[in-house]
Amino acid sequence: MESECPGPMTLRRSEEARPVRSLTDHPLFTSPAPAVGSVEAEEIVRQHYGFDVSLTPLHSERDTNYLAQAEDRRFILKITNAEEPQGVTDFQTAALLHLERCGTELPTPRLVRALSGEPALNLALAGGRSTVRLLDYLDGVPLKDRPRREFPLAEIGRVLAKLDSALSSFDHTFKQYELLWDSSNLGRLRPLIEYISDPELAKQCQGVIDHFVSNIEPRIADLRWQIIHNDVNLNNILISEASSRVTGIFDFGDIIYAPRINELAVTCSYHICNEIDFAETIGPLVSSYHELTPLDEDEIDVIYDLIVARFVTTISITYWRATMFPANRAYVMRNNPIAVEGLHILQNAGRQSVQQVLRAACNME
């Protein structure tokens, strides 16, 4: 297919201020996932897509998702939270369509058109109106299921760079919406600190937020901003069993307009652990990303703080949501230990040591 992907845009934070509102009473963050059972979901696929499928439930933070098995084909069925603004859902759908138009090289999901020809359907369901999307299943093994020393870090960095390059030419009228998981806007999470049950950890996270608001937010305002995936974690990357090639990057539910460098920082945060020295993980990631999508010194200088900000975002949100939805605690808290461990590692190492690794990875010593 000939690419229809336009050239990169120059986007800056100063275009428009993002709204700030209360987090703890936002209906999207406090509402459970749609109560759509497998029987109803199978009928949706049959009626609107023409496939007879059997469904297996998949975990999700806000939505209801199923693995759908047809006779000779597999899909992912996504049913959005009824409280998600339609503009946000349309933003995610438009991003996937944009990546599809940009060519076939990126291993991102393709939307399956309904019988009506639409890539997404807005349907009245048991819990209210929700957007329904069916996506082609991506083959591969979740990165989280492979030993850490086998992670193809350099390739992940390259694929991430290509993804951001493609997204750099994407724009949408709803790009400025407020997202809880936007760690570049860390100050909004102060009200969630009280949900952290470990007093010492809570104090540590509060200190990070105070420093970030005073010293980092003013600096990132002038960096290169664009739409990013914002959640390339170990659950959202698939690799080939045979070659460790990246075969999938999925789950665009946290897509956001933010500093481009935050994409790399978020991804790096999931690779910092006690098992391997942080230089052996973030070094190859940053180096390979930089080769294809060059970083400047101002971006390199804030990666440490953006990684730490992601850890605090994960810690505060997961403690809060686990309190709200105890039945879903295991899923909600799945990345909490990684974040706590990573926060301790980086703070013990110190900003200067991490900066030296990052600068060496980009030949900026």
Side-chain angles (χ1 to χ4, degrees), residues 155-170:
E155 192 194 354
I156 291 171
R158 286 190 290 269
V159 172
L160 195 65
K162 292 176 184 177
L163 176 62
D164 285 346
S165 179
L167 287 174
S168 71
S169 58
F170 174 56

Side-chain angles (χ1 to χ4, degrees), residues 72-124:
D72 57 355
R73 191 175 176 185
R74 286 188 289 181
F75 311 94
I76 300 296
L77 176 66
K78 296 184 68 69
I79 304 170
T80 63
N81 193 300
E83 295 293 343
E84 181 168 275
Q86 188 60 47
V88 173
T89 310
D90 292 344
F91 179 28
Q92 298 164 10
T93 301
L96 290 172
L97 293 174
H98 172 84
L99 292 173
E100 184 177 325
R101 288 192 298 271
C102 283
T104 59
E105 184 178 352
L106 283 168
T108 52
R110 296 299 180 92
L111 287 159
V112 178
R113 272 54 171 184
L115 296 175
S116 63
E118 295 296 320
L121 303 171
N122 187 261
L123 304 177

Side-chain angles (χ1 to χ4, degrees), residues 83-283:
E83 295 293 343
E84 181 168 275
Q86 188 60 47
V88 173
T89 310
D90 292 344
F91 179 28
Q92 298 164 10
T93 301
L96 290 172
L97 293 174
H98 172 84
L99 292 173
E100 184 177 325
R101 288 192 298 271
C102 283
T104 59
E105 184 178 352
L106 283 168
T108 52
R110 296 299 180 92
L111 287 159
V112 178
R113 272 54 171 184
L115 296 175
S116 63
E118 295 296 320
L121 303 171
N122 187 261
L123 304 177
L125 304 174
R129 296 200 71 87
S130 292
T131 295
V132 173
R133 287 166 293 193
L134 194 67
L135 300 103
D136 271 323
Y137 181 84
L138 298 173
D139 288 316
V141 178
L143 191 62
K144 67 179 179 62
D145 293 339
R146 295 294 291 270
R148 280 188 173 270
R149 292 196 176 277
E150 295 180 9
F151 285 8
L153 297 168
E155 192 194 354
I156 291 171
R158 286 190 290 269
V159 172
L160 195 65
K162 292 176 184 177
L163 176 62
D164 285 346
S165 179
L167 287 174
S168 71
S169 58
F170 174 56
D171 199 10
H172 195 273
T173 56
F174 227 79
K175 71 184 181 188
Q176 299 278 15
Y177 86 102
E178 179 192 60
L179 178 70
L180 189 65
W181 285 95
D182 178 10
S183 52
S184 67
N185 204 1
L186 188 64
R188 298 168 312 140
L189 299 185
R190 279 197 179 102
L192 303 188
I193 296 298
E194 65 180 87
Y195 293 89
I196 300 175
S197 57
D198 181 334
E200 188 58 36
L201 181 60
K203 181 180 179 181
Q204 194 174 6
C205 291
Q206 182 65 64
V208 170
I209 293 176
D210 292 342
H211 172 80
F212 192 90
V213 171
S214 298
N215 300 284
I216 306 304
E217 283 190 2
R219 296 177 63 184
I220 65 176
D222 293 326
L223 299 181
R224 288 176 284 192
W225 285 60
Q226 68 164 71
I227 292 166
I228 61 174
H229 180 285
N230 193 49
D231 194 22
V232 182
N233 64 53
L234 306 189
N235 298 280
N236 292 341
I237 304 177
L238 300 173
I239 59 175
S240 165
E241 285 194 75
S243 64
S244 292
R245 177 176 54 89
V246 174
T247 60
I249 293 182
F250 59 98
D251 192 354
F252 283 72
D254 283 355
I255 191 170
I256 192 68
Y257 178 70
R260 184 185 70 174
I261 192 61
N262 204 40
E263 184 87 278
L264 188 55
V266 167
T267 304
C268 284
S269 72
Y270 292 98
H271 295 271
I272 296 172
C273 64
N274 286 319
E275 184 179 339
I276 306 174
D277 184 81
F278 67 84
E280 296 180 49
T281 56
I282 64 174

